[in-house]
Amino acid sequence: MALLKKINRGLFILLILVTLYVLLNKTRSQMPKFSELNDDEIEAGVEDEPDGDVPVLICASEERIGASMATINSVFSNTQANVVFYIVTLRDAIRNIREYIDKTKLRKIKYRILEFNPMVLKGKVNPDSSRPELLHPLNFVRFYLPLLDIENHERIIYLDDDVIVQGDIQELFHIKLKAGHAAAFASDCDLPQTHEMVRSVGMQTTYMGFLDYRKEAVRELGINPTECTFNPGVIVADVAEWKKQKITKQLEKWMTRNFRENLYSSAVAGGVASPPMLIVFHNRYTTIDPRWHVRHLGWSPDAQYPESVLQEAQVLHWNGNFKPWEYPCVHFERWEKWFIPDPTGRFSPIRP
């Protein structure tokens, strides 16, 4: 009998260990994967990064590779800094990206292609947007910055793929973040020259345009609905502070709550990637010089900025429906200056 008890106890312990092993592997499989390829397949011109690098992260979806390449070209062409590009994509676009780079002037850049696993978003995103492209898995990569293979970098710049950089990116990289701040963004109340245009196209620039204040959970946040928002299309992130404050976990918490409770309307806000960041970083971010994020260029095919604003802008952002590689759009000549034709012919701007 005593022997039987020992055998049962041993089997019980073994069962617990097997269960823990299975759960651990399941958790790991749900983490975002940024690379499953060999180093020689995903890297080019990147060794152990020395001090002085400027890491820039850009997502590249298969259908918008040409846009991402224009962003990269604008950064690379306007700086003498040692920029390392982290290009995050899904598996189906990896070879197309490498071909685009290797067969154009971009072959001179330093870069890494990192694969994102969309399964990490399971149970966190509702497929109910009036603009389905805003539900693309790559729109949520910015939530997972510390999980990227950037351990040698204390800071990283994130750029949307509908951005053109006209200034020297190292000036943005070296801005001073306030103590305790994990990121810097441009406030939607900055750059007074753009306010009239923003109002004319009905652009949302306050929290009431992103959160559903009829929900108790939103009201309990204590955020004034008329308070100005910020745009997360350009981010300067302090990786260590991001990890310390568990920013990714906080963002995932609000994604999961919205999945269950519909706390922010994707139809009103134009997407579900911005609201979690607006909540988590409320009153906890450093403001970027507004010239480093002149945005809303894609909100109307008719409303144009004064030439003086465009010339002074260090970053131009076509957030909205009217992208500079499509038609109609505004200020497309500013984007076309940096566009590099796709050597495979897959990506081609639409023009009248």
Side-chain angles (χ1 to χ4, degrees):
M1 184 64 72
L3 179 60
L4 183 59
K5 287 183 177 180
K6 288 183 179 179
I7 292 174
N8 287 338
R9 188 180 299 113
L11 290 172
F12 180 69
I13 293 173
L14 180 61
L15 178 62
I16 292 176
L17 291 174
V18 171
T19 301
L20 289 174
Y21 176 78
V22 171
L23 289 174
L24 179 61
N25 281 343
K26 183 178 180 181
T27 300
R28 285 176 175 172
S29 69
Q30 292 177 343
M31 293 297 288
K33 297 178 183 177
F34 295 102
S35 170
E36 289 184 344
L37 305 179
N38 296 326
D39 286 348
D40 60 349
E41 182 69 24
I42 65 170
E43 298 185 10
V46 178
E47 301 174 355
D48 292 335
E49 284 80 30
D51 292 339
D53 280 356
V54 176
V56 176
L57 185 147
I58 297 171
C59 294
S61 63
E62 185 175 28
E63 60 274 17
R64 287 165 55 153
I65 292 177
S68 303
M69 297 302 111
T71 303
I72 290 171
N73 186 34
S74 71
V75 173
F76 180 70
S77 300
N78 286 305
T79 185
Q80 296 297 317
N82 189 33
V83 179
V84 178
F85 293 97
Y86 291 89
I87 306 170
V88 184
T89 190
L90 304 182
R91 178 174 290 272
D92 57 3
I94 290 174
R95 296 193 182 279
N96 293 347
I97 292 171
R98 284 192 60 83
E99 190 173 6
Y100 209 129
I101 293 173
D102 292 345
K103 292 185 177 181
T104 66
K105 60 181 286 189
L106 294 178
R107 59 183 172 272
K108 299 177 182 179
I109 70 172
K110 293 184 177 181
Y111 71 99
R112 285 180 177 169
I113 300 175
L114 308 176
E115 181 189 352
F116 183 69
N117 178 12
M119 287 303 296
V120 72
L121 303 175
K122 187 177 180 180
K124 300 182 181 73
V125 179
N126 278 315
D128 63 350
S129 177
S130 59
R131 291 176 59 194
E133 74 275 13
L134 295 178
L135 293 174
H136 195 288
L138 296 180
N139 280 332
F140 301 92
V141 165
R142 70 196 90 184
F143 290 14
Y144 298 95
L145 294 180
L147 300 180
L148 295 166
D149 183 20
I150 55 172
E151 66 276 2
N152 292 329
H153 301 298
E154 297 178 356
R155 178 179 288 197
I156 190 166
I157 293 175
Y158 168 89
L159 299 174
D160 274 351
D161 66 354
D162 51 359
V163 156
I164 288 297
V165 177
Q166 299 187 139
D168 187 338
I169 196 69
Q170 61 184 328
E171 294 180 19
L172 179 63
F173 182 73
H174 290 298
I175 68 168
K176 184 176 181 179
L177 269 67
K178 294 181 180 178
H181 286 180
F185 309 94
S187 168
D188 283 327
C189 287
D190 287 341
L191 205 61
Q193 303 98 307
T194 70
H195 291 176
E196 183 177 347
M197 192 277 289
V198 168
R199 284 192 295 268
S200 70
V201 300
M203 176 66 191
Q204 298 293 339
T205 58
T206 63
Y207 274 80
M208 71 173 67
F210 291 86
L211 305 180
D212 187 350
Y213 278 84
R214 296 171 298 180
K215 303 294 176 65
E216 183 178 354
V218 172
R219 295 195 301 272
E220 288 177 350
L221 290 169
I223 301 175
N224 188 324
T226 63
E227 195 168 332
C228 285
T229 50
F230 58 84
N231 186 295
V234 175
I235 307 171
V236 181
D238 183 315
V239 177
E241 194 66 35
W242 193 293
K243 290 180 180 178
K244 178 182 176 182
Q245 297 183 28
K246 297 181 172 60
I247 297 295
T248 296
K249 288 292 184 184
Q250 294 184 55
L251 292 168
E252 288 189 321
K253 166 193 166 184
W254 285 104
M255 291 172 71
T256 303
R257 288 198 64 176
N258 181 65
F259 185 81
R260 298 194 307 260
E261 305 171 38
N262 196 27
L263 300 177
Y264 36 88
S265 169
S266 59
V268 174
V272 293
S274 293
M277 302 200 80
L278 294 176
I279 293 172
V280 171
F281 285 102
H282 176 250
N283 285 341
R284 296 168 59 196
Y285 69 93
T286 299
T287 55
I288 293 173
D289 183 327
R291 295 175 305 154
W292 275 100
H293 195 178
V294 175
R295 49 210 177 278
H296 314 321
L297 276 72
W299 273 89
S300 169
D302 303 311
Q304 300 194 24
Y305 279 112
E307 185 62 24
S308 59
V309 173
L310 297 174
Q311 289 180 357
E312 293 178 5
Q314 304 299 294
V315 169
L316 297 174
H317 188 185
W318 281 263
N319 56 313
N321 283 310
F322 302 97
K323 302 301 184 186
W325 55 88
E326 297 175 344
Y327 184 82
C329 62
V330 297
H331 305 306
F332 66 88
E333 70 284 351
R334 294 264 172 181
W335 180 85
E336 282 196 336
K337 178 180 179 180
W338 306 109
F339 172 65
I340 299 174
D342 185 349
T344 70
R346 295 187 185 97
F347 181 94
S348 181
I350 300 172
R351 293 293 178 253

